Amino acid sequence: MARSSNQKEKILFLMRLFHEETDAMHPLSRKQLEEKLLEYGIQAERKSLYNDIETLKKFGMDIAYRKERPEGYFLQSHEFELAELKLLVDAVQSSRFITESKSNSLIRKIESMASKYEAKQLQRQVVVANRIKAMNESIYYNIDKIYASIASNQQILFRYFEWTIEKTTRLKKGGEPYQVSPWALTWDDENYYLIGYDVDAGILKHFRVDKMLDIETLGEPRVGKEEFGRFDLAHYTKKTFGMFGGEEETLRIRFHNKYIGVVIDRFGKDVSVRPDGEESFTARVDVAVSGQFFGWLTGLGKDVRILSPVYVADMYLDFLKEITGAYDSGE
């Protein structure tokens, strides 16, 4: 039996109906609205229903009436457009730092921002299963703790692990905690990194957030402000490959013209380049020289050559010889 005592709740349920069950292609007629409200135990008279719709419109809901079939009332614009929600879903499902279970949970919440009909289009985009994802479920909360510590200007304490050949984790520093002043979070190569001042080492370091355990906020104020003030985060992530540090050096590298897009994607549109013959160009770039950088260079093949400094070109040649030597040895 319908409960007239629920009249005060009617406008709230009506708001839910517009959010969840209507869009431009799926309006609800007055009769359908009355029937659906009745399912919640709420009777709605025609005049009161019209008044409630007008109240919601004055409140800011973009409710429109569709005259052609299917005829009825619908929420013309949700808080997020469908294209925007698809973009959010893509970002969540492709982010390696978010675990599979947390990805599914976030996507379900994103779907709730659309009508149930539009949500089906989001579901067709979801391909989370079997994607390589972070395995540390606490990363989601680690990020929140780090941001809170940055906002409150406090140091943090945490333990840090690495993987072993047996696919088990091993605590670094023998399990001793790191005391760090957090200054920034950056997302690089599909992972979140903390940029912080290591109190014991007395230098700025970066840490993979998904490898941080048992984060505690200390009552001590952050230190290392001057060091971080001299730190250019954008420049750091641009010159560091896979967040592997190394000796910073300015290199001149010759690339085939077909790699101009690759170079701009990696070093930015302001990278210094000049033509070098009809089919090549030379780029001047700041790089943290590391095996990770050499690996990136190797992936571009024979149409790339380090011109200077010579010692870095020699290091790269030795890097390649070590790789080929591993195959020549037959081991």
Side-chain angles (χ1 to χ4, degrees):
M1 180 180 294
R3 293 169 292 176
S4 58
S5 60
N6 283 349
Q7 289 298 303
K8 292 181 180 179
E9 302 170 13
K10 180 176 59 173
I11 197 165
L12 297 177
F13 283 107
L14 191 60
M15 182 185 294
R16 176 189 289 180
L17 287 174
F18 278 118
H19 269 296
E20 296 181 356
E21 301 202 26
T22 72
D23 55 44
M25 298 305 298
H26 301 89
L28 291 174
S29 66
R30 177 189 57 78
K31 185 177 180 181
Q32 288 173 317
L33 287 171
E34 291 176 358
E35 290 173 349
K36 287 184 177 293
L37 285 172
L38 198 58
E39 293 175 8
Y40 292 119
I42 299 172
Q43 287 183 326
E45 297 178 358
R46 177 183 301 188
K47 184 177 180 180
S48 67
L49 189 58
Y50 289 148
N51 289 337
D52 288 336
I53 291 174
E54 285 303 313
T55 299
L56 291 176
K57 290 170 72 173
K58 290 178 181 178
F59 178 69
M61 291 186 70
D62 189 14
I63 299 172
Y65 185 80
R66 180 187 172 108
K67 295 182 178 179
E68 64 271 15
R69 293 185 178 182
E71 183 180 350
Y73 295 92
F74 67 97
L75 188 58
Q76 190 164 234
S77 60
H78 288 74
E79 189 170 354
F80 288 89
E81 296 179 10
L82 182 59
E84 293 172 329
L85 295 178
K86 287 181 178 179
L87 186 64
L88 291 175
V89 168
D90 285 344
V92 169
Q93 69 179 22
S94 63
S95 298
R96 292 182 59 178
F97 73 89
I98 307 177
T99 62
E100 184 175 336
S101 61
K102 184 58 67 177
S103 293
N104 289 325
S105 174
L106 284 172
I107 289 170
R108 283 194 296 271
K109 292 177 181 178
I110 293 173
E111 290 173 357
S112 70
M113 298 178 185
S115 71
K116 65 180 182 181
Y117 307 102
E118 292 179 333
K120 292 179 180 178
Q121 296 185 51
L122 298 176
Q123 292 165 4
R124 285 198 291 270
Q125 292 202 163
V126 178
V127 190
V128 174
N130 299 321
R131 186 185 294 272
I132 297 174
K133 285 280 195 177
M135 287 169 278
N136 182 2
E137 185 71 33
S138 64
I139 182 175
Y140 195 72
Y141 306 100
N142 285 353
I143 293 169
D144 189 52
K145 288 181 181 178
I146 292 169
Y147 273 126
S149 298
I150 292 174
S152 60
N153 193 39
Q154 295 184 74
Q155 297 182 32
I156 58 174
L157 204 67
F158 60 88
R159 294 185 299 160
Y160 199 61
F161 73 81
E162 60 184 351
W163 288 101
T164 69
I165 192 65
E166 293 82 16
K167 299 181 182 179
T168 58
T169 59
R170 174 175 58 211
L171 292 175
K172 301 193 74 171
K173 289 178 56 176
E176 288 294 314
Y178 288 77
Q179 185 172 342
V180 173
S181 294
W183 286 102
L185 280 167
T186 183
W187 189 4
D188 185 81
D189 196 26
E190 298 191 64
N191 289 301
Y192 250 120
Y193 291 87
L194 164 67
I195 307 296
Y197 185 82
D198 188 317
V199 175
D200 294 328
I203 57 174
L204 283 172
K205 290 184 177 180
H206 64 260
F207 302 88
R208 273 264 299 267
V209 175
D210 60 310
K211 293 185 177 181
M212 297 168 63
L213 300 172
D214 307 322
I215 297 178
E216 298 178 30
T217 301
L218 303 178
E220 303 176 37
R222 292 182 298 172
V223 294
K225 183 177 181 179
E226 292 184 5
E227 288 78 359
F228 185 72
R230 297 190 295 268
F231 180 75
D232 187 334
L233 182 59
H235 178 69
Y236 181 76
T237 54
K238 190 187 298 181
K239 70 182 176 63
T240 308
F241 286 73
M243 297 303 283
F244 278 79
E247 192 70 27
E248 185 174 347
E249 187 62 83
T250 300
L251 308 184
R252 286 178 59 248
I253 308 175
R254 182 191 296 129
F255 295 88
H256 190 281
N257 287 341
K258 64 185 177 182
Y259 291 126
I260 184 62
V262 175
V263 171
I264 291 175
D265 286 345
R266 176 68 242 189
F267 299 102
K269 193 175 180 180
D270 294 332
V271 62
S272 175
V273 298
R274 60 175 56 186
D276 189 350
E278 293 184 1
E279 297 185 346
S280 302
F281 67 92
T282 300
R284 186 181 180 88
V285 296
D286 294 327
V287 168
V289 179
S290 66
Q292 197 79 359
F293 162 65
F294 288 150
W296 176 80
L297 211 59
T298 304
L300 300 180
K302 61 183 179 60
D303 293 325
V304 179
R305 183 184 182 91
I306 299 175
L307 301 178
S308 67
V310 174
Y311 87 91
V312 177
D314 291 339
M315 287 174 62
Y316 182 45
L317 186 59
D318 291 340
F319 174 83
L320 295 174
K321 286 179 179 178
E322 286 183 11
I323 293 176
T324 55
Y327 287 91
D328 292 340
S329 65
E331 296 180 1

